[in-house]
Amino acid sequence: MSRFILFSFLISISTAVMAAKEKPIVILTTFSEGSISQMVSQFQAINPNVKVDVIFRRNRSAVRLLEREGASNVDIIISSSSVLFHELEEKGKLLLIDNENKTPEWLKPHVLEMSGKVTAFAYSGFGLMYNNEYLKSYNLASPKTWQDLSDSKYFNHITMSTPARSGTTSLMVENILQNYGWDKGWQLLMKIGGNIAFISSRSFGVSEAISQGLIGAGPVIDNYAINSKRSFDYVDFSYMPKSILMPTYIAITKDSDAKKESEKIIDFLLSNKGQELLKTTSITKFSLAQPELAQKTSVVLNKELVYERDGLISLLFDQAITEQLHQLKVTWQSIYQLEKKTDLSQADKRNLTLVKRYASKVPVTAQQAQSSDYLELFNQTGTAHRLNTAVAEEVRRWQQTLSENLVIANQLINEINQE
């Protein structure tokens, strides 16, 4: 009997060891799975005994997953969202890595500093992707700037994702707000919102919709556009002026039980072979040996402000644009129709200016957007599905104000039309 127990014990130990060896390295990424699959395949060709699985998560769901008990099956995180890595570092979810940091001096101003727990292995820019055939069919020129997207001629011809659904979109929005200022930045965003045909549920959904001819243009990170251009000759892309760079980061989770194998992946991405593959595989990033794009911009975001108001901007964008998209579009369409009239009185013109003001106002002041106490309120919501009482009450205030603003705007529009 004792021999049988010993035999069973040895079998169970052997099985556990084999299972441990067969456990794949799990990469969690905010990119589409397809965008890094070729890099993974190249790594596995060199390391055939290492199995790698890739899973996609948005920022918020990524944090929720890593906060769960038993989430240690995730070993590596790859993303361009500095906000994601900042939050994970704050929550103690990242491991100190031993790989050599090879970030060049010209990229360092744009890179997140994370006490040796995160390293950049590539970078991207962002801009506007557009479908030339679609635009031609509507007699539209290709847009080049955020201001272009706010032009009435692009009404119902553009799309974008949201800060809550896309870390790169969050950085794009913050880029606008830090470049134009809080009030003027939101005025621009609300006007762009009035032109949006539909909100994309994922950042790479924007490039897919444009490639498929469902929409004319939208803001994207450059690698999605470059990949689309390889497949569709009618797709094009241009970088935004005064736009930021987006380094691509990699980190190992604190709960990973495959640190050595994970570090092999980091070493591979930082190696000469890995850096060369960035240009030719589906990840399509600029390598650390390609400063060309970085040399064209000096724009660097206030990173602390990015981290502090990420929660606020995500919620506010959804309430001001996503949740009231239909009403916003109806209002701006009416505004565009009034702008075409040539017989408006001076009083009507003054009222039309007032209409635009109401249609582009948000219920958060520039002072509040700089207040640590106010911003902390939204960061405390964390990744919970439900808002805490104080935030829920503030969001209700926003909703009421935003709704009232559009009601007033449309009342004024009706008054102008009845003149």
Side-chain angles (χ1 to χ4, degrees):
M1 182 70 177
S2 60
R3 287 182 180 178
F4 176 76
I5 294 173
L6 178 60
F7 177 74
S8 299
F9 175 74
L10 291 173
I11 288 292
S12 65
I13 290 294
S14 175
T15 303
V17 169
M18 288 179 65
K21 286 183 177 179
E22 292 174 0
K23 177 191 174 295
I25 303 297
V26 178
I27 298 176
L28 183 152
T29 182
T30 56
F31 302 142
S32 65
E33 297 93 325
S35 68
I36 66 171
S37 61
Q38 291 179 7
M39 286 291 284
V40 168
S41 296
Q42 291 288 337
F43 170 79
Q44 288 182 300
I46 301 170
N47 301 272
N49 295 325
V50 181
K51 189 175 186 302
V52 182
D53 288 343
V54 178
I55 58 174
F56 162 78
R57 289 291 187 278
R58 299 187 185 98
N59 278 16
R60 299 295 174 191
S61 58
V63 177
R64 281 198 296 271
L65 175 63
L66 292 167
E67 284 183 326
R68 281 187 211 153
E69 189 175 344
S72 59
N73 62 317
V74 175
D75 300 292
I76 290 175
I77 304 158
I78 294 178
S79 176
S80 289
S81 174
S82 57
V83 174
L84 171 62
F85 287 105
H86 178 77
E87 184 169 354
L88 292 175
E89 198 273 341
E90 289 281 299
K91 294 176 181 292
K93 296 296 181 182
L94 303 179
L95 189 69
L96 195 67
I97 53 180
D98 298 329
N99 305 74
E100 181 185 356
N101 189 325
K102 296 185 178 181
T103 306
E105 289 298 322
W106 50 264
L107 189 59
K108 284 183 179 178
H110 306 274
V111 167
L112 169 73
E113 291 297 331
M114 200 65 82
S115 306
K117 296 178 181 178
V118 177
T119 189
F121 67 90
Y123 76 100
S124 292
F126 78 87
L128 291 177
M129 176 176 164
Y130 40 92
N131 184 315
N132 285 316
E133 289 186 358
Y134 178 102
L135 295 178
K136 185 179 179 181
S137 69
Y138 288 95
N139 198 28
L140 293 171
S142 56
K144 305 295 184 184
T145 67
W146 289 114
Q147 291 287 356
D148 287 345
L149 292 187
S150 72
D151 192 294
S152 60
K153 64 187 177 185
Y154 292 104
F155 177 77
N156 233 25
H157 294 303
I158 65 173
T159 187
M160 67 182 292
S161 189
T162 74
R165 298 174 181 181
S166 161
T168 52
T169 303
S170 177
L171 292 173
M172 292 178 195
V173 169
E174 186 64 73
N175 195 172
I176 290 175
L177 297 174
Q178 291 195 26
N179 183 30
Y180 288 89
W182 182 262
D183 292 329
K184 289 184 178 179
W186 275 109
Q187 288 170 12
L188 177 59
L189 283 165
M190 292 288 279
K191 196 172 180 185
I192 291 171
N195 283 346
I196 291 175
F198 55 85
I199 294 288
S200 174
S201 62
R202 305 181 298 181
S203 59
F204 46 91
V206 175
S207 59
E208 289 176 350
I210 295 168
S211 297
Q212 293 167 8
L214 301 177
I215 203 69
V220 299
I221 193 168
D222 57 11
N223 56 294
Y224 292 142
I226 294 168
N227 276 329
S228 294
K229 285 181 66 174
R230 288 171 178 169
S231 301
F232 309 105
D233 59 6
Y234 51 81
V235 166
D236 213 340
F237 172 83
S238 61
Y239 288 100
M240 289 270 205
K242 296 184 180 179
S243 60
I244 58 170
L245 299 183
M246 296 181 180
T248 307
Y249 302 103
I250 186 168
I252 302 174
T253 64
K254 188 176 180 180
D255 293 333
S256 172
D257 55 7
K259 182 184 177 185
K260 287 185 178 180
E261 289 79 6
S262 297
E263 287 183 338
K264 281 184 181 179
I265 293 179
I266 296 177
D267 283 335
F268 171 73
L269 291 173
L270 292 172
S271 70
N272 290 337
K273 182 176 178 60
Q275 291 288 294
E276 282 297 316
L277 287 168
L278 291 171
K279 310 169 194 175
T280 57
T281 58
S282 54
I283 194 168
T284 319
K285 300 284 183 181
F286 287 91
S287 75
L288 301 183
Q290 292 179 286
E292 295 86 1
L293 182 60
Q295 291 169 347
K296 295 177 182 178
T297 182
S298 58
V299 179
V300 177
L301 293 182
N302 179 333
K303 295 183 181 67
E304 285 306 313
L305 194 56
V306 171
Y307 305 143
E308 285 181 358
R309 65 188 191 187
D310 178 65
L312 166 66
I313 288 173
S314 292
L315 273 174
L316 184 55
F317 188 99
D318 275 348
Q319 296 305 318
I321 297 176
T322 310
E323 298 299 329
Q324 61 168 13
L325 184 63
H326 175 70
Q327 301 96 308
L328 194 63
K329 288 172 61 177
V330 168
T331 303
W332 279 102
Q333 186 176 33
S334 298
I335 291 170
Y336 298 148
Q337 290 169 350
L338 286 175
E339 287 179 329
K340 292 177 182 178
K341 291 190 174 183
T342 58
D343 58 347
L344 292 180
S345 67
Q346 289 302 313
D348 287 340
K349 289 178 180 178
R350 287 193 294 271
N351 278 339
L352 182 55
T353 299
L354 196 56
V355 168
K356 294 177 184 178
R357 193 178 305 162
Y358 275 109
S360 57
K361 284 173 63 177
V362 293
V364 177
T365 67
Q367 290 74 24
Q368 287 174 312
Q370 297 274 357
S371 166
S372 296
D373 290 340
Y374 189 72
L375 297 176
E376 182 61 24
L377 181 68
F378 300 96
N379 291 334
Q380 289 174 354
T381 62
T383 56
H385 289 287
R386 294 182 180 179
L387 302 177
N388 65 42
T389 304
V391 175
E393 184 59 36
E394 183 67 354
V395 169
R396 278 193 290 272
R397 183 187 72 80
W398 293 352
Q399 290 170 337
Q400 182 176 354
T401 303
L402 288 163
S403 177
E404 288 174 354
N405 285 346
L406 291 186
V407 168
I408 294 171
N410 282 284
Q411 286 173 345
L412 288 168
I413 288 169
N414 289 335
E415 289 177 14
I416 296 171
N417 282 325
Q418 288 170 6
E419 291 274 330

